[in-house]
């Protein structure tokens, strides 16, 4: 893929391929008034190559009005998200789940994971200490969680921290929450992706150096993410592409101009973009000004969905106490 | 000025005019290894028109390495800043100064003003309560401060809040601290502007609706600001301009292509940019990912400079206790 | 009153008088399963003297389970609180109300006021800018708010800041929110006091130096407070009193011991307590360890009640979006 | 020891024994103007029993003026602390050290550990990625760190998290930072304890359930702590003891009264105290109101000392950049 275009969303990767049918990629879409749920299955290596994403199952909830913080809509999204997660998890009621909040709490657009984790209903210890009150018969599952920080904060690869923890806690599943980079501004705080592939290297706002996948940590990993930024290079690239597209439509095929446009290759575009963004190359992100409050709202929605999915005996009303 | 280009810095406004001598604008520049200090005087209406900025005196400190948080350099910048402020203030040692921290503490890139105010050495009440210890003979001046929030938080125009306060406190001078929008990424957290013009409408990260000037609040206002964002439209515009510039250099004067480029007017560019940034038009900013920690560092530098400027009897070492 | 006993609650002041009927003090009490509402009217100077509180109307909601954060109970308390506030306010639907969040946001147990203010539905500016959408016909009232900080932060008496603001905004009513000191630990985060007397000097966690009353700021002031601390001297005093009480019950009237206990005067107790609490006399508070989260929950409950009381056209469900 | 008296400080435990010489306990004390350094060695089981603390080496720095935030004194304390730590650590220059910030960041007086960790100079990853710049020849040691949260936040025993991490990272030493409970108010934010015993169960503001010691995690543990609270029961107990002491001095030996005082046993005192502190028994702490800012200052001092001790090639001036 073009090195100026960065997206962590399977659904955007598919748009970039032109939206046509791809061999090895199955898509099914369900629309309602407020929400579009897309389920993308990348079934073989050919599909993975075409999409630039690992094989696996990706569910996306697109909810344009989610950033308006309407409590009814937030509830509906949390409930739909819970259903999708439950469908992806096939575990006994007493299986322990470890939730990992990826990202750096000191960097606003990278703080989604830690903020979700702080709103979860943590029960693993309560089920041990007070088994009469907290048990699977009351619809409670053993859930534990950690926000391990990032390499620059701890000096330790996040996957090392998680691996050590997994060996002690022995969960049947890890769920990793992460802030993502999208291609389109519209997706910020409006699109939720749930994937059974784990987190792969280079993804996330912080550009994770190592993956967090079944291969690296030894237990299945579901990744849940929401875009909080657009990479500034991606945005600049899109602006240039639109201008070039407009010129191309106006130029006569065969003319010097037409040829010039065709010749304008990716490296030249890349150099232009680099120059504009110096001296922060690779470090610049585009966000809405109100990103702080958008992140809080997104964290509440995700935590709501997770709490419902993990503890079938707890109602949305009870869950909402933990979301504040 | 082009409506896609936004800058709150006089020094950038001057660059946009092509850097040539302008009638009514005097500039003097002082360079050292780490710092360039520019002093721009806009002396008449012609100069103000050409610069797109009100008449007045603008001092800019450009310190490219400031964002590296080197303690020695931070100290040097605070001290230079203090000298420039002192030169702008011509007040008796016992004149009360009210510092206003503009901006929204809930919006990271707009939180500079409140963060500076929280690190100031506040003395007005101490000089009343303990005049033996806190007095002008010890080099202490009556300083008070408020971070009044923004219209969306209070429901009250910031200038109304300040006006009410000025009538009670009767300071001889108001100093307003604000986060700015720059044109160039390089300026984020590296450029400090001190101006005796007050804060004019439309400036600042939050796009202040009303000015805070001697006219509106009845007392002289010095504005101190540091860029914390580049408007995303500005960045997209700059990328386009560079592409068009490159094409123009390659095109034959007189050719269709050359004419097409000349004809590409601002409105078309504006439409392209709007399209890329929908649905957040006017709300998108480009920032470095680590803006949270850059803002903290900038706030410490400004508070250091202000504390030194306002209290001549307090040493940098004593001041540094308040900066944490 | 004993200088070791400190309470900002009228209901506790009454208990200290022995609970007997006092001339000039009328009390009516309404109990339900979860809540006791007491309405105390101090009708004349004799009553004020006996109670150690100014003349006025004090409503107290006691809700022992409030600190458990049960969402249903929180809703019920907010709604009851809204009714009590509405009964105290007799203003036209378009009268502007200014809410003041007293206290220091950097001191956890004193941060209640600012935290309530940050969750209010602020409408004064919206009613001016978008009168079609925000108007009294839709049950919206012009509300504005400020958290002015404390003297040590601003160098300005809080009452000065408010007075300046009142002169500009000209509200028909000021509502001041404050964290209180109680005598009993049980009251922390479980008791809400609403009084039409304003805030008097010496009250609040921060020991306000000047009152905020109709006399000082020129407009009627309703004070809403919740205890967040017990003064440590008060707690030590209560412990001593219980020991002395126990001894007294065991001693023979007329014995040396009995006389010794009778002679143990307040000054001696005061000296003992001083010694234990040195070197922090007057600065020590007793709080539950989890005060941070208790304050957040209390702030949400108060903001919920205020939003309902001030905007009759907004439902609890809509209000709850603002409480997070 | 009396169940109402709680201290995590060896130096206070020794005072409680009456200050007399104890077999198996060696004490050496070094005084200067601003600082007293005590070195207590508990050498055998008899000493451990008498002191109510495990065998080991405890260094205490008492600095009454530390809470005044004087930058010179802070520097001096950090440097002395660094020397004491270095004397306790006997490790090669390239030995990896893992620092653990114990405690709950959501509970102000328990947040010391996480706050120290966030100010450390973390180098383990840099020494791997950029060995030319970060190496032992430049006086840099591989340091990594984690603030693992508490059981109620993660659902995982803190010692489990650390054990998993230790098995991956294989550090030669763990340093655990913790907020402590003291007996005396004077010690809050003025006393630093460094012990080579690790952290034992029941200690710390959060009452750690399990120890973090060489036995539980398999590597030597140095514990560094500073008191941030006095247990409210301890304070109440001390107040009672002073009253009883005063009565005893006034009573005639042999009189009824004298006997009554002698008979007043611990259980009765305990019941009195319970009653005063209901319904928060065991959850109440006494702190100075300004605990938030005291904790920040203490965290800076400790982080300064640790950074100096762990990286001999980094100067105090460089270290101070990380302390903000």
């Amino acid at each position: 893929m073009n090195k100026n275009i960065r997206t962590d969303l399977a659904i955007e990767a598919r748009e970039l391929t032109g939206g046509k049918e791809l061999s090895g990629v199955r898509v099914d879409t369900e629309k309602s008034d407020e929400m579009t749920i897309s389920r993308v299955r990348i079934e073989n290596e050919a599909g993975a190559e075409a999409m630039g994403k690992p094989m696996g199952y990706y569910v996306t909830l697109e909810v344009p009005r989610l950033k308006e913080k309407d409590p009814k809509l937030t509830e509906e999204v949390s409930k739909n998200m819970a259903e999708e997660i439950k469908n992806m998890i096939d575990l006994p009621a007493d299986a322990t789940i470890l939730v990992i909040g990826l990202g750096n709490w000191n960097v606003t657009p990278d703080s989604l994971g830690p903020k979700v984790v702080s709103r979860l209903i943590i029960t693993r210890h309560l089920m041990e200490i007070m088994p009469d009150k907290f048990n699977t018969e009351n619809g409670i599952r053993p859930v534990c969680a950690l926000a391990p920080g990032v390499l620059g904060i701890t000096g330790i690869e996040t996957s090392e921290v998680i691996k050590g923890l997994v060996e002690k806690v022995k969960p049947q599943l890890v769920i990793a929450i992460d802030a993502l980079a999208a291609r389109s501004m519209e997706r910020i705080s409006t699109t939720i992706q749930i994937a059974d592939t784990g987190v792969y290297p280079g993804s996330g706002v912080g550009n994770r150096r190592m993956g967090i996948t079944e291969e690296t940590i030894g237990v299945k990993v579901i990744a849940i993410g929401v875009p909080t930024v657009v990479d500034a290079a991606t945005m600049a690239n899109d602006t240039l592409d639109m201008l070039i597209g407009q010129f191309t439509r106006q130029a006569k095929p065969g003319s010097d101009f037409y040829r010039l446009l065709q010749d304008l290759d990716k490296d030249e575009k890349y150099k232009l973009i680099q120059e504009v963004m110096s001296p922060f190359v690779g470090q610049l992100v585009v966000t809405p000004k109100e990103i702080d409050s958008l992140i809080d709202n997104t964290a509440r929605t995700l935590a709501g969905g997770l709490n419902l999915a993990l503890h079938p005996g707890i109602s949305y009303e009870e869950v909402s106490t933990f979301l504040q």
Side-chain angles (χ1 to χ4, degrees), chain A residues 123-138:
Chain A
T123 50
R124 180 174 172 267
H125 61 307
L126 299 174
M127 295 178 79
E128 280 172 20
I129 305 169
M130 295 180 275
D132 287 354
K133 204 170 161 195
F134 297 89
N135 53 52
T136 54
E137 274 162 45
N138 292 336

Side-chain angles (χ1 to χ4, degrees), chain A residues 11-188:
Chain A
I11 207 173
E12 287 193 335
R14 192 160 168 273
E15 285 168 11
L16 289 172
T17 66
K20 62 174 190 281
E21 285 225 358
L22 293 174
S23 134
V25 180
R26 273 200 302 151
V27 184
D28 113 79
T29 305
E30 188 185 321
K31 284 202 182 190
S32 65
D33 261 19
E34 297 270 26
M35 202 179 312
T36 305
I37 302 181
S38 309
R39 300 182 187 88
V40 176
R41 274 171 220 276
I42 305 184
E43 296 180 319
N44 55 32
E45 281 305 327
E49 177 98 350
M51 294 278 286
K53 297 269 164 243
M55 282 170 55
Y57 178 38
Y58 300 83
V59 177
T60 312
L61 288 80
E62 295 171 85
V63 195
R65 281 208 319 111
L66 185 56
K67 61 174 174 284
E68 293 175 21
K69 303 177 196 174
D70 175 332
K72 283 235 171 94
L73 184 58
T74 301
E75 177 173 345
E76 198 193 326
V77 173
S78 289
K79 284 179 174 171
N80 273 278
M81 191 188 144
E83 285 314 305
E84 299 297 329
I85 295 171
K86 281 198 239 174
N87 290 340
M88 234 183 243
I89 300 176
D90 185 25
L91 287 174
D94 65 347
T96 296
I97 294 180
L98 169 62
V99 184
I100 297 291
L102 297 171
N104 186 342
W105 44 81
N106 295 323
V107 173
T108 304
D110 197 25
S111 64
L112 178 66
K115 282 188 171 157
V116 170
V117 155
S118 73
R119 290 173 170 93
L120 292 181
I121 302 177
I122 301 300
T123 50
R124 180 174 172 267
H125 61 307
L126 299 174
M127 295 178 79
E128 280 172 20
I129 305 169
M130 295 180 275
D132 287 354
K133 204 170 161 195
F134 297 89
N135 53 52
T136 54
E137 274 162 45
N138 292 336
I140 293 178
R141 170 195 291 287
V143 171
C144 52
L146 192 80
V150 296
L151 183 61
I153 283 181
T154 62
I156 311 165
E157 283 289 349
T158 307
S159 54
E160 275 187 283
V161 181
I162 300 172
K163 213 164 157 180
L165 198 58
V166 163
E167 286 172 18
K168 290 296 148 211
V169 172
K170 300 199 189 339
Q172 274 89 327
L173 177 72
V174 164
I175 297 179
I177 317 294
D178 204 1
L180 304 179
R183 190 194 178 190
S184 151
M185 296 312 310
E186 285 175 24
R187 297 205 175 280
I188 291 187

